[in-house]
Amino acid sequence: MDLDEKEVKIFLFAMGDYSRFSILAALAKKSMCVNEIAKETKIEQSNVSHHLACLANCGFVNVSRDGKKRVYSINKEVKPIIDGMLRHISTYKKNILACNIANKRYVSKLV
């Protein structure tokens, strides 16, 4: 498979945002509507809707209707990726926090 730089960068942009990643992590547990996702992730409802639009456009989440509600679920191919990332973060937490290169970039963006 050939890597397309633009596709990879868009994928990582969508996946790399903390709010979008927490929405995916929440949806990896169960399907939810916007209000439930906002409550679970502590992200404002309007922001959740904005992030869900990106995640749906990129194919990370699916949307279905339950009466008037839209119910969001994680794409079945994405779930093992999110589960694996969460396991990796948990297992390698000390290594991740000790990474001088990533930390330097992260801290410099916060200042």
Side-chain angles (χ1 to χ4, degrees):
M1 173 161 79
D2 292 329
L3 282 178
D4 178 282
E5 183 178 355
K6 183 177 180 181
E7 292 170 356
V8 171
K9 285 183 175 183
I10 292 170
F11 175 91
L12 293 172
F13 173 84
M15 182 75 74
D17 179 86
Y18 177 78
S19 294
R20 286 190 286 275
F21 186 80
S22 26
I23 290 169
L24 289 170
L27 291 174
K29 297 176 195 171
K30 65 177 185 174
S31 299
M32 293 183 259
C33 65
V34 173
N35 292 342
E36 294 169 319
I37 296 168
K39 185 176 178 181
E40 175 80 16
T41 61
K42 297 176 179 57
I43 301 169
E44 288 186 36
Q45 183 178 334
S46 61
N47 289 336
V48 169
S49 295
H50 175 76
H51 289 305
L52 283 168
C54 174
L55 294 170
N57 287 336
C58 291
F60 292 115
V61 300
N62 302 310
V63 187
S64 60
R65 289 223 177 250
D66 181 14
K68 291 184 179 183
K69 288 193 298 187
R70 289 183 181 190
V71 178
Y72 294 86
S73 60
I74 195 163
N75 178 315
K76 67 179 181 179
E77 293 177 1
V78 174
K79 186 178 182 334
I81 296 169
I82 299 300
D83 290 343
M85 291 173 79
L86 291 168
R87 266 192 317 277
H88 185 85
I89 291 166
S90 177
T91 302
Y92 294 98
K93 184 185 308 188
K94 288 181 183 178
N95 302 71
I96 292 167
L97 293 173
C99 177
N100 292 332
I101 297 165
N103 265 315
K104 189 178 275 185
R105 284 197 161 166
Y106 175 73
V107 171
S108 70
K109 288 187 179 193
L110 292 177
V111 177

